[in-house]
Amino acid sequence: MVMKNPDVEFCGYCITHPSESKINFRIQTRGSLPAVEPFRKGLNDLMGVCQHVLSTFEKSMKEYRAQREEEMQ
Amino acid sequence: MAARRGTDEMRERVVLGEFGVRNVHTTDFPGNYPGYDDAWDQQRFEEEFRVDVVGEEDGVLEFDMVGIDAAIANAFRRILLAEVPTMAVEKVFVYNNTSIVQDEILAHRLGLIPIRADPRLFEYRNQGDEEGTEIDTLQFQLKIKCSRNPQAAKESSDPNELYFNHKVYSKHMTWVPLGNQTDLFPDADFRPVHDDILIALLRPGQEIDVLMHCVKGIGKDHAKFSPVATASYRLLPDITLLQPIEDEAAETLQKCFSPGVIEIQNIKGKKVARVANARLDTFSREVFRHEGLKNLVRLARVRNHYIFSVESTGILPPDVLVSEAIKILMGKCQRFLNELDSVPME
């Protein structure tokens, strides 16, 4: 999600040591914004994606179940 | 025009060559392709994204997610396996175990039994809390003793006739309500999902008397807490015939793929092969072993079409599990957003 932002020049992560749950996350912008902004925008966009996926999935399940009810009758 | 088609293929298809796989990684980031606008656009995503439920039976749910990136689909899969919570036996208090099965083996087996209890009704146990309260613990008792059947025939050697209770099944586990659990869950029926899981075998005189505490946990901690038998996805196959294939070659081609993928039609007396249903194929790449056929077919996968298959252990239905997994990912994003807002940035 952060990579999809055109202001981001570099974005990467690495895990410092497999025994510790820590991730080094690096975002570099093209000099216009503070780097926290693409991070925040990425998180918000990801929340939006999840919300949309959840509502679409539940709608599809409902339609599928309704269609199966009809076929059984 | 050809160049545009080439880049479209690079963006949208993962191509399986004879000796390797090409175009594996996602490359549609802003700036990579001139002429394409790849910046994140929620509206474009919502227009192209769709979920199609293919089938649901016996706890297995198969559905398609189209228009999503690999990282997010993989995140859902990993959360389904490791981070959706369930209730499972964690502490086993052994009062009496004279059976052949050792205490720790018995405890291990009891932990792996799936318990039909909705984990959303319970809390996680606090760290260091040994006793357990009624909001985070379910108590089960297994008390069974094997005895000889005095009515058995003298010569019989069938253990079913000779002994009572010689097989300990999961149906012998009974729920013991703690505190005010009878009021909190008036019509709940907490028991193992399956009644016929064999826990141990006994002979006359042996008995098992244990008390079990179930707690809420996640698969990352111990695999017994994983709510799915397994959750997996595959990409939609895409088979293209680069040239028309006829007669004997068509027959060989049909045998190279899984049944139902290639269909042979009779056009003007000649047998012509046609791709009927690429979705059924499992890509054994048999076609690359035939010199005459390997250059006439392109095997590829559609990069953003995921065919998910989620099989639940029976605790929660699979569609509830998928919804919970998506909510957990949202919860994680929210936690980081809250942290960003609360920690002062210099």
PDB file of all heavy atoms in Angstrom, chain B residues 69-80 233 306 308:
ATOM      1  N   ASP B  69      -4.255  -7.572  -4.294  1.00  0.00           N
ATOM      2  CA  ASP B  69      -2.830  -7.838  -4.438  1.00  0.00           C
ATOM      3  C   ASP B  69      -2.427  -9.087  -3.656  1.00  0.00           C
ATOM      4  O   ASP B  69      -3.080  -9.468  -2.679  1.00  0.00           O
ATOM      5  CB  ASP B  69      -2.054  -6.619  -3.919  1.00  0.00           C
ATOM      6  CG  ASP B  69      -0.591  -6.713  -4.253  1.00  0.00           C
ATOM      7  OD1 ASP B  69      -0.278  -6.959  -5.431  1.00  0.00           O
ATOM      8  OD2 ASP B  69       0.227  -6.568  -3.345  1.00  0.00           O
ATOM      9  N   ALA B  70      -1.304  -9.677  -4.064  1.00  0.00           N
ATOM     10  CA  ALA B  70      -0.862 -10.926  -3.431  1.00  0.00           C
ATOM     11  C   ALA B  70      -0.595 -10.754  -1.950  1.00  0.00           C
ATOM     12  O   ALA B  70      -0.909 -11.639  -1.145  1.00  0.00           O
ATOM     13  CB  ALA B  70       0.415 -11.420  -4.106  1.00  0.00           C
ATOM     14  N   ALA B  71      -0.011  -9.595  -1.575  1.00  0.00           N
ATOM     15  CA  ALA B  71       0.367  -9.420  -0.174  1.00  0.00           C
ATOM     16  C   ALA B  71      -0.858  -9.459   0.733  1.00  0.00           C
ATOM     17  O   ALA B  71      -0.831 -10.031   1.828  1.00  0.00           O
ATOM     18  CB  ALA B  71       1.105  -8.093  -0.006  1.00  0.00           C
ATOM     19  N   ILE B  72      -1.959  -8.856   0.279  1.00  0.00           N
ATOM     20  CA  ILE B  72      -3.145  -8.796   1.138  1.00  0.00           C
ATOM     21  C   ILE B  72      -3.825 -10.159   1.193  1.00  0.00           C
ATOM     22  O   ILE B  72      -4.271 -10.606   2.264  1.00  0.00           O
ATOM     23  CB  ILE B  72      -4.092  -7.695   0.643  1.00  0.00           C
ATOM     24  CG1 ILE B  72      -3.318  -6.399   0.550  1.00  0.00           C
ATOM     25  CG2 ILE B  72      -5.266  -7.552   1.574  1.00  0.00           C
ATOM     26  CD1 ILE B  72      -4.117  -5.226   0.133  1.00  0.00           C
ATOM     27  N   ALA B  73      -3.889 -10.855   0.056  1.00  0.00           N
ATOM     28  CA  ALA B  73      -4.495 -12.191   0.072  1.00  0.00           C
ATOM     29  C   ALA B  73      -3.695 -13.113   0.980  1.00  0.00           C
ATOM     30  O   ALA B  73      -4.251 -13.896   1.768  1.00  0.00           O
ATOM     31  CB  ALA B  73      -4.547 -12.759  -1.351  1.00  0.00           C
ATOM     32  N   ASN B  74      -2.362 -13.009   0.899  1.00  0.00           N
ATOM     33  CA  ASN B  74      -1.521 -13.838   1.755  1.00  0.00           C
ATOM     34  C   ASN B  74      -1.700 -13.470   3.217  1.00  0.00           C
ATOM     35  O   ASN B  74      -1.688 -14.344   4.095  1.00  0.00           O
ATOM     36  CB  ASN B  74      -0.050 -13.671   1.349  1.00  0.00           C
ATOM     37  CG  ASN B  74       0.806 -14.760   1.915  1.00  0.00           C
ATOM     38  OD1 ASN B  74       0.342 -15.873   2.124  1.00  0.00           O
ATOM     39  ND2 ASN B  74       2.058 -14.453   2.184  1.00  0.00           N
ATOM     40  N   ALA B  75      -1.888 -12.172   3.474  1.00  0.00           N
ATOM     41  CA  ALA B  75      -2.110 -11.751   4.865  1.00  0.00           C
ATOM     42  C   ALA B  75      -3.369 -12.403   5.420  1.00  0.00           C
ATOM     43  O   ALA B  75      -3.380 -12.889   6.561  1.00  0.00           O
ATOM     44  CB  ALA B  75      -2.226 -10.229   4.934  1.00  0.00           C
ATOM     45  N   PHE B  76      -4.438 -12.454   4.615  1.00  0.00           N
ATOM     46  CA  PHE B  76      -5.667 -13.094   5.101  1.00  0.00           C
ATOM     47  C   PHE B  76      -5.423 -14.557   5.381  1.00  0.00           C
ATOM     48  O   PHE B  76      -5.870 -15.109   6.397  1.00  0.00           O
ATOM     49  CB  PHE B  76      -6.788 -12.970   4.066  1.00  0.00           C
ATOM     50  CG  PHE B  76      -7.302 -11.572   3.905  1.00  0.00           C
ATOM     51  CD1 PHE B  76      -7.653 -11.088   2.668  1.00  0.00           C
ATOM     52  CD2 PHE B  76      -7.435 -10.735   4.999  1.00  0.00           C
ATOM     53  CE1 PHE B  76      -8.129  -9.802   2.512  1.00  0.00           C
ATOM     54  CE2 PHE B  76      -7.894  -9.447   4.852  1.00  0.00           C
ATOM     55  CZ  PHE B  76      -8.244  -8.977   3.603  1.00  0.00           C
ATOM     56  N   ARG B  77      -4.670 -15.215   4.499  1.00  0.00           N
ATOM     57  CA  ARG B  77      -4.410 -16.638   4.696  1.00  0.00           C
ATOM     58  C   ARG B  77      -3.628 -16.862   5.975  1.00  0.00           C
ATOM     59  O   ARG B  77      -3.947 -17.732   6.802  1.00  0.00           O
ATOM     60  CB  ARG B  77      -3.638 -17.183   3.496  1.00  0.00           C
ATOM     61  CG  ARG B  77      -3.326 -18.658   3.564  1.00  0.00           C
ATOM     62  CD  ARG B  77      -2.340 -19.043   2.473  1.00  0.00           C
ATOM     63  NE  ARG B  77      -1.044 -18.454   2.694  1.00  0.00           N
ATOM     64  CZ  ARG B  77      -0.078 -19.006   3.400  1.00  0.00           C
ATOM     65  NH1 ARG B  77      -0.263 -20.179   3.947  1.00  0.00           N
ATOM     66  NH2 ARG B  77       1.062 -18.394   3.553  1.00  0.00           N
ATOM     67  N   ARG B  78      -2.599 -16.028   6.197  1.00  0.00           N
ATOM     68  CA  ARG B  78      -1.759 -16.235   7.385  1.00  0.00           C
ATOM     69  C   ARG B  78      -2.532 -15.930   8.656  1.00  0.00           C
ATOM     70  O   ARG B  78      -2.354 -16.576   9.688  1.00  0.00           O
ATOM     71  CB  ARG B  78      -0.519 -15.344   7.304  1.00  0.00           C
ATOM     72  CG  ARG B  78       0.420 -15.792   6.206  1.00  0.00           C
ATOM     73  CD  ARG B  78       1.655 -14.975   6.177  1.00  0.00           C
ATOM     74  NE  ARG B  78       2.455 -15.270   7.359  1.00  0.00           N
ATOM     75  CZ  ARG B  78       3.659 -14.791   7.564  1.00  0.00           C
ATOM     76  NH1 ARG B  78       4.190 -13.996   6.667  1.00  0.00           N
ATOM     77  NH2 ARG B  78       4.316 -15.081   8.633  1.00  0.00           N
ATOM     78  N   ILE B  79      -3.408 -14.921   8.600  1.00  0.00           N
ATOM     79  CA  ILE B  79      -4.184 -14.604   9.798  1.00  0.00           C
ATOM     80  C   ILE B  79      -5.162 -15.728  10.096  1.00  0.00           C
ATOM     81  O   ILE B  79      -5.372 -16.093  11.252  1.00  0.00           O
ATOM     82  CB  ILE B  79      -4.911 -13.257   9.622  1.00  0.00           C
ATOM     83  CG1 ILE B  79      -3.889 -12.143   9.545  1.00  0.00           C
ATOM     84  CG2 ILE B  79      -5.866 -13.001  10.771  1.00  0.00           C
ATOM     85  CD1 ILE B  79      -4.495 -10.798   9.337  1.00  0.00           C
ATOM     86  N   LEU B  80      -5.756 -16.337   9.041  1.00  0.00           N
ATOM     87  CA  LEU B  80      -6.666 -17.456   9.267  1.00  0.00           C
ATOM     88  C   LEU B  80      -5.954 -18.599   9.961  1.00  0.00           C
ATOM     89  O   LEU B  80      -6.513 -19.259  10.830  1.00  0.00           O
ATOM     90  CB  LEU B  80      -7.223 -17.964   7.934  1.00  0.00           C
ATOM     91  CG  LEU B  80      -8.450 -17.258   7.407  1.00  0.00           C
ATOM     92  CD1 LEU B  80      -8.709 -17.670   5.987  1.00  0.00           C
ATOM     93  CD2 LEU B  80      -9.644 -17.593   8.262  1.00  0.00           C
ATOM     94  N   TYR B 233      -4.776 -20.887  -0.841  1.00  0.00           N
ATOM     95  CA  TYR B 233      -5.309 -20.280  -2.060  1.00  0.00           C
ATOM     96  C   TYR B 233      -4.441 -20.686  -3.231  1.00  0.00           C
ATOM     97  O   TYR B 233      -3.299 -21.096  -3.060  1.00  0.00           O
ATOM     98  CB  TYR B 233      -5.397 -18.756  -1.940  1.00  0.00           C
ATOM     99  CG  TYR B 233      -4.084 -18.006  -1.820  1.00  0.00           C
ATOM    100  CD1 TYR B 233      -3.255 -17.810  -2.916  1.00  0.00           C
ATOM    101  CD2 TYR B 233      -3.707 -17.451  -0.618  1.00  0.00           C
ATOM    102  CE1 TYR B 233      -2.074 -17.109  -2.805  1.00  0.00           C
ATOM    103  CE2 TYR B 233      -2.535 -16.748  -0.501  1.00  0.00           C
ATOM    104  CZ  TYR B 233      -1.720 -16.572  -1.590  1.00  0.00           C
ATOM    105  OH  TYR B 233      -0.555 -15.871  -1.467  1.00  0.00           O
ATOM    106  N   TYR B 306      -7.616 -14.922  -6.939  1.00  0.00           N
ATOM    107  CA  TYR B 306      -7.238 -15.928  -5.944  1.00  0.00           C
ATOM    108  C   TYR B 306      -8.416 -16.847  -5.666  1.00  0.00           C
ATOM    109  O   TYR B 306      -9.517 -16.383  -5.370  1.00  0.00           O
ATOM    110  CB  TYR B 306      -6.801 -15.248  -4.643  1.00  0.00           C
ATOM    111  CG  TYR B 306      -5.536 -14.472  -4.847  1.00  0.00           C
ATOM    112  CD1 TYR B 306      -5.561 -13.137  -5.192  1.00  0.00           C
ATOM    113  CD2 TYR B 306      -4.304 -15.109  -4.745  1.00  0.00           C
ATOM    114  CE1 TYR B 306      -4.412 -12.453  -5.425  1.00  0.00           C
ATOM    115  CE2 TYR B 306      -3.144 -14.422  -4.970  1.00  0.00           C
ATOM    116  CZ  TYR B 306      -3.203 -13.087  -5.317  1.00  0.00           C
ATOM    117  OH  TYR B 306      -2.060 -12.411  -5.555  1.00  0.00           O
ATOM    118  N   PHE B 308      -9.647 -19.172  -3.045  1.00  0.00           N
ATOM    119  CA  PHE B 308      -9.399 -19.557  -1.663  1.00  0.00           C
ATOM    120  C   PHE B 308     -10.162 -20.817  -1.326  1.00  0.00           C
ATOM    121  O   PHE B 308     -11.287 -21.019  -1.766  1.00  0.00           O
ATOM    122  CB  PHE B 308      -9.919 -18.466  -0.713  1.00  0.00           C
ATOM    123  CG  PHE B 308      -8.924 -17.386  -0.429  1.00  0.00           C
ATOM    124  CD1 PHE B 308      -8.778 -16.332  -1.291  1.00  0.00           C
ATOM    125  CD2 PHE B 308      -8.174 -17.428   0.721  1.00  0.00           C
ATOM    126  CE1 PHE B 308      -7.874 -15.333  -1.023  1.00  0.00           C
ATOM    127  CE2 PHE B 308      -7.269 -16.429   1.000  1.00  0.00           C
ATOM    128  CZ  PHE B 308      -7.114 -15.377   0.118  1.00  0.00           C
TER     129      PHE B 308
END
